[in-house]
Amino acid sequence: MAPKLPPQHSLQQSSTAVAGGQSHHEHHAQPKGIMRWLLTTNHKEIGSLYLIFSLVMFFIGGIFALVVRAELFQPGLQLVEPEFFNQMTTMHGLIMVFAAVMPAFTGLANWMIPLQIGAPDMALPRLNNFSFWLLPVAFILLLSTLLMPGGGPNFGWTFYAPLSTTYAPPSTTFFILALHIAGISSILGAINIIATILNMRAPGMRMMDMPLFVWTWLITAFLLIAVMPVLAGVITMMLMDINFGTSFFDAAGGGDPVLFQHLFWFFGHPEVYIMILPAFGIVSAIIPTFARKRLFGYASMVYATAAIALLSFLVWAHHMFVVGLPLTAELFFMYSTMLIAVPTGVKVFNWVTTLFRGSISFEPPMLFALAFVVLFTIGGFSGLMLAIAPADFQYHDTYFVVAHFHYVLVPGAIFAIMAGVYYWLPKWTGHYPHERLAQCHFWCSVVGVNLTFFPMHFAGLAGMPRRIPDYALQFADFNMLSSIGAFFFGVSQLIFVLVVVLCVKGGKKAPAKAWEGAEDLEWSVPSPAPLHTFETPPVFHRTHPSE
Amino acid sequence: MTEYEMVRKAGVQRTVIRSVAALIGMFAFAFALVPLYDVFCRITGLNGKVDTTAQAIVHEEVDQSRYVTVQFITRGSAGLPWQMSVATRQMRVHPGQAAEVEFTFTNNSHQESWGRAVPSVSPSNATAHVRKVSCFCFQEQLLQGDERLTVPLVFQLSRDLPEEINTITLVYTLYPVHNMAMGASVNNNNTLGDEI
Ligand code: HEM
Ligand SMILES: [Cu+2]
């Protein structure tokens, strides 16, 4: 059998450089100003909209986090009321998950998937416009609940019933509506991505030739289609419990609050993989480029991603070890959770092996990708500690869990998004990002992230509970460090905005193939990529022996 | 439209139809999980859910060789001005033997109100072996203002109660019932939230 080689392709014929207005279905004049953005069906413009939206939300969610960290700077209650503190932790989580990380990945998908598979646009361009514009509606609605009587959601991003039903503030109905709209947006986005990947690939490109970013997004989109309806179902049940007197989650009427947790985490655990699989794809594109080697184990990467996705349906109750599961269930969920670490380990192994004996250079995308590999792995290890059911009885609902998921999400998902942005900015804008500033952003972020989240491990192991505005004196030092780190990290993200703005305005010109070792199809179109690319499909040509 | 584009379009349509079908299926599945979960819990006794219908006494030989301690815990509820107490906190019975305990409900307010005591058994593998012959927990209850009501619980532990179980705890939690049937849809959720 021939060794499994990653795809290596060249273009026989590519008719890419069809500039702006020349395209054949673009005869009418483009609307100008705001209408252009409201009505655009172009995957690149919609991609940019998603990314800008996500960046704005990243800062709003970040400000909420800083309110939390400011209150926790010292023990005692000083800055905000406990009620408001709860709204801040809740809104921070909701905004970061649903309005920052998920839309950022969808934005990258919109921009890059058509370019990476040689398609002229997404399969359903108008639906694409609609999915995007649902998002501002959803999150303006969600943010407006903060101003409503009784305040916004205050029950944590996991909105456990009956806190979110019987004891919830009156604004909860709007929270449910906002989440429904955001959910519809992701579902439509997912359908569009699946339809694009399955049907719009350049002639000759087989599934196993697709870049890993495309693969991981395909699998993510399947996960979205499988679990977003479950989330929609759960919040519909909450809505009915609150407004129509049903008792899905109300023990008084024969319902069960534990049922809520099962349903939520049946959605929630795959959801955390929705936030990390595309990140794996981005990192799998960047590391080979800057190590100037092919990705080690392309096929095993694809299978590992699929395995993670399948297993993610079997582990949800590791969030519920302490609800009183029977022993067999505790054991089942403990072992199945640990099993997920195997395909995850395969990925880390492949990245490291790709680096091995590569000729590595450390451009900003690569810096972020390398930090991703190291810091995400730390998050994976703390995950394994939490997966030990008897140990989780101690760790559950402490800052240790907070440390775990911030390691996998901030230097995990968010670093990968930033790596992707630095990697593809030359393609989007035609300019390289300012190298010095980007490095500065990187080092500040790495220091900030670790200073913020590493001490949380210790606070958690020592027993500090999460989601509480005050704490015992022995946790004071850890919390002070975390708060200093958080403000440092938050302010450093302004450098990121500066780099992006400068890069849009000008900078060193980038050629079509902006990075020496970059191989995928997107590098065959000019930089900046013209509004319309691959109007006539390129013929995809494989140069390695087929598998 | 070229042939290539037509093929693409048909493919996209097929994908969309399948995805929408999957979506609807998963949405329905979420709701189907509710009864499935209930059935699962009842069959396995997980979660301490006991049957909410009366069961007949089974006349089987009482296992004199073995004593099991049955404990009773009662818990009030925010939003229901009732008190619930039990005649004995703890009793020892033989498997197979029928036993009776009295529970007393007191309405501390001057208004009538509806409430319900929801039972839960632990350890959960004992659930299936607690046979309730008559229980106030089968229905919702109405208490007039200041009323005091004493009701019996008659139960029997089945003889096949697993060997290793020698203590069973029965917990009753009181919940207010917002009587929907009477058209007075009093959803006090929010006021409740404020009190807490
Ligand atoms: C080796 C892989 C992983 C393992 C074994 C693992 C295990 C766990 C366990 C057992 C918990 C529950 C802790 C508790 O509440 O007591 C947990 C929580 C969490 N994990 Fe992971 N995890 C892994 C990877 C990830 C990844 C990749 C993400 C997201 C990108 C993630 C996101 C989260 C989140 C958000 C929570 C907390 C949810 C909450 O309660 O708010 N985990 N993890
Ligand atoms: Cu999980």
Side-chain angles (χ1 to χ4, degrees), chain A residues 129-447:
Chain A
N129 171 291
F130 182 59
S131 346
F132 172 74
W133 283 108
L134 285 177
L135 281 181
V137 176
F139 290 99
I140 289 171
L141 187 62
L142 182 64
L143 288 171
S144 72
T145 59
L146 285 175
L147 307 174
M148 293 180 185
N154 56 5
F155 28 68
W157 84 277
T158 52
F159 48 97
Y160 279 8
L163 263 186
S164 60
T165 52
T166 315
Y167 304 110
S171 64
T172 306
T173 305
F174 292 96
F175 153 80
I176 292 174
L177 187 61
L179 217 53
H180 262 310
I181 300 174
I184 293 171
S185 164
S186 347
I187 286 173
L188 297 180
I191 295 182
N192 208 345
I193 288 169
I194 296 183
T196 308
I197 298 176
L198 292 186
N199 303 295
M200 309 276 286
R201 295 193 307 281
M205 182 189 269
R206 300 169 318 176
M207 297 292 275
M208 288 309 271
D209 296 325
M210 300 190 313
L212 266 170
F213 180 64
V214 179
W215 255 118
T216 50
W217 240 116
L218 178 66
I219 292 169
T220 303
F222 277 119
L223 283 181
L224 278 167
I225 289 200
V227 301
M228 290 313 276
V230 177
L231 173 69
V234 181
I235 57 181
T236 306
M237 291 175 205
M238 278 171 59
L239 187 75
M240 297 204 279
D241 271 10
I242 294 175
N243 296 306
F244 306 119
T246 56
S247 32
F248 285 100
F249 308 129
D250 185 2
D256 190 339
V258 176
L259 172 67
F260 175 91
Q261 297 188 26
H262 280 291
L263 289 173
F264 179 83
W265 287 115
F266 186 81
F267 148 80
H269 186 82
E271 166 70 19
V272 307
Y273 283 99
I274 287 166
M275 293 190 282
I276 203 69
L277 293 185
F280 291 166
I282 295 170
V283 171
S284 302
I286 293 175
I287 289 185
T289 298
F290 297 97
R292 293 167 183 77
K293 270 177 70 188
R294 285 191 190 168
L295 182 68
F296 181 84
Y298 170 86
S300 69
M301 283 297 212
V302 173
Y303 297 135
T305 312
I308 292 176
L310 287 178
L311 284 174
S312 74
F313 287 105
L314 299 178
V315 300
W316 77 90
H318 65 214
H319 298 274
M320 305 168 55
F321 281 141
V322 300
V323 300
L325 299 176
L327 186 64
T328 33
E330 300 265 351
L331 288 173
F332 173 80
F333 288 108
M334 170 165 132
Y335 291 128
S336 61
T337 303
M338 291 182 172
L339 202 60
I340 289 209
V342 176
T344 314
V346 169
K347 289 186 159 287
V348 175
F349 176 82
N350 285 347
W351 291 320
V352 173
T353 315
T354 307
L355 291 168
F356 185 65
R357 295 201 165 155
S359 57
I360 303 174
S361 56
F362 297 93
E363 283 85 346
M366 184 63 161
L367 290 175
F368 277 95
L370 292 175
F372 170 94
V373 175
V374 176
L375 299 176
F376 172 79
T377 306
I378 294 183
F381 282 144
S382 55
L384 276 175
M385 289 175 67
L386 292 167
I388 304 166
D392 187 68
F393 276 61
Q394 167 76 14
Y395 306 150
H396 180 69
D397 260 347
T398 68
Y399 259 81
F400 192 80
V401 178
V402 179
H404 157 64
F405 68 76
H406 282 90
Y407 261 86
V408 284
L409 285 171
V410 184
I414 289 177
F415 271 26
I417 291 167
M418 286 172 171
V421 169
Y422 282 126
Y423 185 56
W424 284 310
L425 263 177
K427 184 54 60 195
W428 301 338
T429 65
H431 310 121
Y432 285 103
H434 191 289
E435 178 116 17
R436 274 281 128 134
L437 279 176
Q439 278 169 353
C440 175
H441 170 228
F442 170 75
W443 287 110
C444 290
S445 298
V446 171
V447 172

Side-chain angles (χ1 to χ4, degrees), chain A residues 166 168 199 226 242 252 256 326, chain B residues 15 26 37 46-47 175 187 189-190:
Chain A
T166 315
N199 303 295
I242 294 175
D256 190 339
Chain B
T15 313
M26 285 309 290
Y37 173 82
L46 290 181
N47 217 2
Y175 286 100
N187 196 330
N189 292 348
N190 305 323

